[in-house]
Every structure is written in structure tokens, then in C-alpha cells.
Amino acid sequence: MKFKLFCLGLGLMVLFGGCSSASSNSPEEYSQTIFAMDTAMTLTAYGEGCEAAVNAAISEINRLDALFSVNNENSDIYRLNNEKSAQVSDDTYSLLGSAIDFYEKTYGALDVAVYPAVKAWGFTTGEHRVPSDSELSELKTHIGAENIILGENNTVTLTDSLAEVDLGSVAKGYASDLVCNVMKNTGITSGIVSLGGNVETIGVKTDGSLWKIGVTDPSDESSLIGTLSLENKAVITSGSYQRYFDLDGVRYHHIIDPETCAPARSGLTSVTIVSDSGLTADAYSTAVFVMGLEKGSDFWRSSSDSFDIVFITDEGEVYITEGLKNAFVPRDDIEPVIIER
Ligand code: AMP
Ligand code: MG
């Protein structure tokens, strides 16, 4: 039995054009890399007050991590999962409310209550296994965000005794929105945060040019399939190469199709969403990954939310929605197919 775990891929890379993103501490630029929410995060701010802005942003991330963690016994989510009813902070209440909206808008593809299935595959402990079909059918009866009831005074209740939630699919996007606001409130007009490869930008670069964000090639993570030139946007990737295990020659990744309670086999290896909102980008990157190219394109066409998508298929084909026509510069050997409304 061959058993292998890789969990390195982060999906996006910020291209700084010569200068390093890590800990360059000139007065006009301040950057810190920390470990939070189970991943490496780099926060960079430019201009007067950049150090204070990054420090305030780090405090904000640590505050949110302490609320959302599934493992920290004092977190809102840990208490909710264990007691099935808990009074939670405003942030947790609000994020759970958004997650329920996304569940409805994505027809169940984004389901923060899919956690019992994530656990069954061993993604939470690293003790990976392949559950039997009957175990998966049984699990299916206990998942679904309809089991999350938001009550008065920030009280949240889980109506199924085996229901559990995990905000892993939306927390980094939610955090990046808040962190960018914290930095903007300190007066920063140029900055970039990368929370485990989920990128959100403030303004443009100090020389007035656009941020360049590279999209990782899932078949060779040291290479990019292209770059996105953007300002004031969140860019978030969900990919099957980001967290997975191989067992007996089969790859099992961490994005679960709530229909089957198994890793989504949608024909995609990576979905990148570009949006004004980190939260929307994070929710939809996971959901569109589950939907696949065709359903994901239809979802994009019919959605009232404003966002764009870079799809990479199992065969390495690249599809982009039309809003990225000018922003996306593909690698020389790649010709993206443009998806129109
Ligand atoms: P992301 O990297 O944002 O796509 O989120 C993936 C993480 O969210 C996984 O590691 C799981 O913890 C959790 N997850 C997996 N599948 C789903 C799903 N269909 N809906 C919501 N959360 C999920
Ligand atoms: Mg996500």
C-alpha cells in the first residue's frame, strides 16, 4: 500500500518584480510572514505607517483564528461542534450567516457543515483513509448547512447530533477582507496580503502599476500558467493539488462534493476566483471547484455577484471568464478559452 501526503501547493504567487516579499523592512515598506489558520501568511504594506498597519493586521488575523479554529477548545467553532449550541462572537455569527447564504446560492456545493465527511477521510488528523460507500451514505444524512440554525443573541444551534462545521473554505477570504480594511483604516493605500496563497490587494503598487499575481500550474507547482494584473481585488484559488493523499495509485484531495461526501471529481484541478470581496472569492472558489467547468460557467452567468474565474481542467486546459480577457496574461504555450456571458 503506497501512502503519500503532499500539502504544499498554495495556488497563487505575488510577483514583486525584483524585490522580495518577505521581511523587507525599509521605512516605506513593511512585510511580515506569520503562521495562522493552518497556513503561512504574508502581509505587506507600503507608505507611512506601514509597520503599524501590518502589526494591526496580524492582531486581527490572530483574533479571527482564535474564533474560527476547529481545534482550539476555546474557539466558537470548537464549542459549537462539541456542545451543538453555543453563543458565538459577532464575526462567527456573521460568517456562518454568509456561509448559509452561499450554501443556498451554490445549490449546496459550498457547505460548511460538510465537516463530518472531511474528518472521515482523515484530512483533519493526517490519518488518511478511504471510507466505505455505506459509511459515505450514512455521513450524507448528517451533513448540510440546513442543520445550522442562527438564533437570537448570537446563539447558533446544530440540529443534527452528528453535525459539525468547519469554516476552512471561507475563513481566509473573510479574514483577508477584514485585514485589508484594518490596513486601509490606518491610512494605507498600497498593500497586499497573501493568506496561504489567497491574495487580496489594496490599491496599486507604489509605482502606480498593477499588482501581478501568478496562477500556479497544478501539474508543476514551480511554474505558473499565467499572471493576473489587478488592482483592489481578491484572488483566491481552490485546487486538488493543495492538500491530498495518494493511496494505491489513486489521489484523494480535500475538496468534498457534498452530494457524494467524497473528493469532488469535477474534471478540474484548480479554480481561481477574482472578486472585490475575499469572502465571495473564497466561497466560490471551493463551490465552483465542486461544480466543474460547465455548471461553474452557468453559475457565473446567472450569479448576481460580480466575479470572474480561471478554470484549469484535469487535462491542463485553461478557461477564463470574459472579465479577465485583459487582466490575464497566459504562459507562452497556453491559449485560454474565453467563456462569454
Ligand atoms: P478551500 O481551500 O477554500 O477550497 O477550502 C477547502 C477546505 O474546506 C477543505 O480543506 C475542508 O476543510 C473544507 N471543505 C471541503 N469541501 C468543502 C465544501 N464542499 N464546502 C465547504 N467546505 C469544504
Ligand atoms: Mg474557499
Side-chain angles (χ1 to χ4, degrees):
M1 192 181 273
K2 199 161 160 247
F3 202 75
K4 234 168 147 191
L5 169 72
F6 296 96
C7 55
L8 292 171
L10 296 176
L12 300 164
M13 196 180 290
V14 182
L15 309 182
F16 279 81
C19 85
S20 156
S21 65
S23 294
S24 55
N25 296 332
S26 72
E28 298 81 22
E29 172 187 347
Y30 190 77
S31 184
Q32 280 288 313
T33 296
I34 60 163
F35 192 84
M37 297 186 176
D38 223 12
T39 190
M41 302 186 162
T42 300
L43 302 104
T44 307
Y46 297 89
E48 210 184 319
C50 51
E51 181 168 352
V54 168
N55 288 335
I58 290 172
S59 301
E60 183 68 349
I61 287 177
N62 289 332
R63 184 181 73 79
L64 296 172
D65 195 8
L67 299 177
F68 301 155
S69 162
V70 278
N71 301 316
N72 173 348
E73 291 183 15
N74 298 316
S75 84
D76 284 345
I77 296 301
Y78 186 95
R79 285 188 298 112
L80 176 61
N81 285 342
N82 282 274
E83 291 157 29
K84 305 301 172 203
S85 186
Q87 198 174 30
V88 300
S89 63
D90 290 346
D91 285 287
T92 306
Y93 194 82
S94 149
L95 184 50
L96 283 169
S98 302
I100 292 168
D101 286 346
F102 288 127
Y103 178 69
E104 288 161 6
K105 284 180 173 175
T106 64
Y107 310 100
L110 191 282
D111 180 5
V112 295
V114 81
Y115 194 52
V118 176
K119 273 169 83 173
W121 289 86
F123 283 110
T124 52
T125 55
E127 287 167 27
H128 300 107
R129 58 190 280 277
V130 178
S132 66
D133 288 349
S134 60
E135 186 180 344
L136 294 178
S137 312
E138 164 63 14
L139 277 169
K140 181 142 169 55
T141 65
H142 300 291
I143 66 158
E146 65 275 3
N147 291 325
I148 309 169
I149 306 295
L150 301 186
E152 302 216 318
N153 299 322
N154 286 12
T155 299
V156 184
T157 305
L158 300 179
T159 52
D160 185 300
S161 63
L162 295 179
E164 286 189 66
V165 301
D166 145 39
L167 295 174
S169 58
V170 287
K172 289 195 276 287
Y174 180 82
S176 73
D177 287 341
L178 262 60
V179 156
C180 286
N181 278 339
V182 163
M183 300 221 287
K184 284 182 202 161
N185 289 342
T186 68
I188 294 299
T189 54
S190 174
I192 189 156
V193 300
S194 170
L195 312 188
N198 298 314
V199 173
E200 190 155 345
T201 61
I202 299 172
V204 290
K205 285 162 69 174
T206 45
D207 63 3
S209 65
L210 300 175
W211 298 106
K212 270 195 173 174
I213 299 161
V215 181
T216 297
D217 181 346
S219 66
D220 170 12
E221 287 173 52
S222 61
S223 141
L224 303 174
I225 57 129
T227 57
L228 289 159
S229 295
L230 301 163
E231 67 181 292
N232 267 328
K233 291 283 182 200
V235 187
I236 293 191
T237 296
S238 289
S240 51
Y241 63 96
Q242 291 174 330
R243 196 172 286 228
Y244 63 86
F245 63 95
D246 287 329
L247 189 59
D248 295 335
V250 181
R251 177 154 301 180
Y252 301 95
H253 63 78
H254 69 132
I255 302 172
I256 302 294
D257 181 347
E259 279 293 322
T260 59
C261 287
R265 302 260 178 243
S266 64
L268 299 175
T269 47
S270 164
V271 170
T272 298
I273 305 279
V274 178
S275 167
D276 290 342
S277 152
L279 175 57
T280 302
D282 202 356
Y284 288 171
S285 66
T286 310
V288 170
F289 188 97
V290 170
M291 292 176 193
L293 179 62
E294 208 171 307
K295 278 193 194 155
S297 305
D298 288 344
F299 173 68
W300 169 76
R301 286 189 188 97
S302 61
S303 176
S304 55
D305 294 315
S306 165
F307 63 98
D308 274 289
I309 313 176
V310 180
F311 297 91
I312 308 176
T313 68
D314 288 344
E315 287 74 37
E317 300 149 332
V318 177
Y319 291 75
I320 61 171
T321 55
E322 62 184 9
L324 297 176
K325 249 192 287 195
N326 297 328
F328 184 70
V329 178
R331 199 172 66 202
D332 282 350
D333 59 325
I334 287 174
E335 244 185 83
V337 178
I338 314 280
I339 300 170
E340 291 174 355
R341 284 243 176 243

